Amino acid sequence: MTLDLRPITPGFAAEIVGHDFSTPPERALVTAIRSAIDQYGVLIFRGDPGPTDEQHIAFSKLFGPIEQGNIIKVSGFDRRRVRYLELVDVGNLDPDGNIFPADHRRMLFRKGDRLWHADMSFMDNRATYSMLVGHEAPPIGGDTEFADARAAYDALPVEMQRLVDSLEAEHSIWHSRQLAGFPEPTEEELASRPPVRHKLAHTREGSGRRSLYVASHASHIVDWPVELGRGLIAELTKFATQPRFVYRHRWRQGDLVMWDNLATLHRGTEFEDTKYRRDMRRTTCRERAIDSRDAGYA
Ligand code: OGA
Ligand code: MN
């Protein structure tokens, strides 16, 4: 069994054609997928057909401990549309399958996905891979963009690499939500997911490449004046997301896109979200086994 791998650029994003989600893959194939994601950062499994929810979850479990339940407690998230706790519902549909009203907290919350980010950077136990399946895509808009945070690190001037290597940022889900216009968190919400610190750059196991780790959950630089740190984070995010580092994914029904959150940044893009349906479901792998501190809520 070999991968039919079609690189989109020599170092970033590759399509995999004809993957069969209906049977568990051989060990060699899993190893080949791991080395492909190490090399390309983003893999696009073209759905023909795409995985069912069960196959999506089973596939994801091959690559690490996977998250279950909502990672934050937010009112308005009480009823689930998608049955499995492993699936994060990132579309715009309510539990009855209708489009949410524009002012619903869920719609506001998801607007935060349209800012550049790495999933779960606000957790101590960070996300490694995310796997997003497109079940229904709008006819125009609603693409997802990915930026190569390794190529961006490599392209930084050496003095900037040195500076970045010496710094840590504080990350908080509430910071990115507020940037996206979400209301102030309550005390309880705030306490449920306190900020965490991560280095601004790290070496990714597997590829051995350095990668920038910034964007919208990062609120400031540790030990720096807040505004100064915010400026550097904004500058680095802008640098890392220049068109030369970006792949834009136009969804087709059944696509599964897998990305490495420790090597890339991503964001959703605009579409007429009160007019068109968008049904997207994500699984998320973590760096380490998930314990009670970072488990999700039912
Ligand atoms: C995600 C995400 C963007 C999109 O699922 O983590 O950021 O385009 N999605 O839905
Ligand atoms: Mn995301």
Side-chain angles (χ1 to χ4, degrees):
M1 226 187 253
T2 52
L3 276 188
D4 182 358
L5 197 73
R6 304 181 186 178
I8 289 172
T9 73
F12 189 53
E15 252 188 36
I16 289 170
V17 182
H19 180 79
D20 177 9
F21 287 100
S22 71
T23 49
E26 289 168 15
R27 273 262 279 283
L29 187 63
V30 177
T31 306
I33 295 172
R34 273 188 187 275
S35 67
I37 191 97
D38 283 341
Q39 185 172 356
Y40 295 102
V42 181
L43 298 179
I44 300 114
F45 294 83
R46 281 292 183 193
D48 40 6
T52 62
D53 286 346
E54 291 81 3
Q55 289 165 355
H56 179 185
I57 293 167
F59 177 79
S60 309
K61 284 183 175 165
L62 298 168
F63 299 97
I66 80 167
E67 217 168 271
Q68 291 195 37
N70 295 328
I71 215 62
I72 40 174
K73 228 175 194 160
V74 190
S75 56
F77 283 58
D78 9 31
R79 270 178 70 217
R80 294 180 65 86
R81 182 176 65 90
V82 182
R83 188 154 63 98
Y84 296 101
L85 283 177
E86 289 89 345
L87 296 175
V88 184
D89 188 353
V90 300
N92 62 348
L93 304 178
D94 73 14
D96 301 315
N98 301 312
I99 296 176
F100 274 118
D103 59 354
H104 193 279
R105 275 171 79 85
R106 256 293 301 271
M107 287 289 243
L108 298 174
F109 191 83
R110 292 261 75 104
K111 295 265 192 220
D113 292 341
R114 298 186 197 171
L115 301 173
W116 287 105
H117 64 283
D119 290 337
M120 302 298 147
S121 75
F122 52 86
M123 301 292 280
D124 188 51
N125 183 1
R126 301 175 301 179
T128 50
Y129 310 116
S130 291
M131 286 99 161
L132 186 62
V133 174
H135 290 265
E136 208 175 333
I140 29 171
D143 301 347
T144 308
E145 290 189 319
F146 297 90
D148 189 345
R150 306 155 309 170
Y153 179 91
D154 292 345
L156 286 172
V158 174
E159 314 77 64
M160 187 54 108
Q161 289 178 341
R162 287 222 185 91
L163 176 65
V164 160
D165 288 346
S166 70
L167 299 173
E168 283 190 336
E170 198 160 288
H171 295 242
S172 165
I173 179 68
W174 310 113
H175 177 68
S176 56
R177 295 308 103 163
Q178 277 178 275
L179 288 180
F182 195 69
E184 283 271 330
T186 63
E187 283 298 315
E188 191 200 4
E189 284 173 343
L190 210 56
S192 70
R193 291 294 171 216
V196 299
R197 293 172 173 190
H198 296 297
K199 293 199 159 75
L200 239 55
H202 51 247
T203 301
R204 186 67 176 110
E205 192 188 308
S207 68
R209 293 183 67 183
R210 299 284 292 162
S211 184
L212 273 177
Y213 197 63
V214 285
S216 65
H217 301 312
S219 61
H220 61 277
I221 305 280
V222 176
D223 295 335
W224 275 30
V226 170
E227 290 311 320
L228 198 64
R230 208 154 272 181
L232 179 63
I233 290 164
E235 192 189 320
L236 291 170
T237 305
K238 194 165 166 219
F239 183 85
T241 57
Q242 296 172 76
R244 63 179 163 138
F245 301 129
V246 171
Y247 163 69
R248 185 178 180 111
H249 186 68
R250 172 88 202 121
W251 291 92
R252 286 193 229 150
Q253 193 179 345
D255 288 349
L256 181 151
V257 179
M258 173 178 186
W259 64 88
D260 183 352
N261 287 290
L262 299 178
T264 65
L265 299 173
H266 67 279
R267 67 169 176 187
T269 62
E270 296 301 318
F271 71 106
E272 286 187 74
D273 59 6
T274 52
K275 179 169 169 192
Y276 296 123
R277 299 163 62 83
R278 188 169 189 264
D279 181 355
M280 298 274 166
R281 306 175 196 174
R282 192 188 83 219
T283 52
T284 322
C285 294
R286 293 294 192 80
E287 284 185 289
R288 303 185 296 276
I290 297 168
D291 64 24
S292 59
R293 277 178 317 142
D294 51 19
Y297 304 104

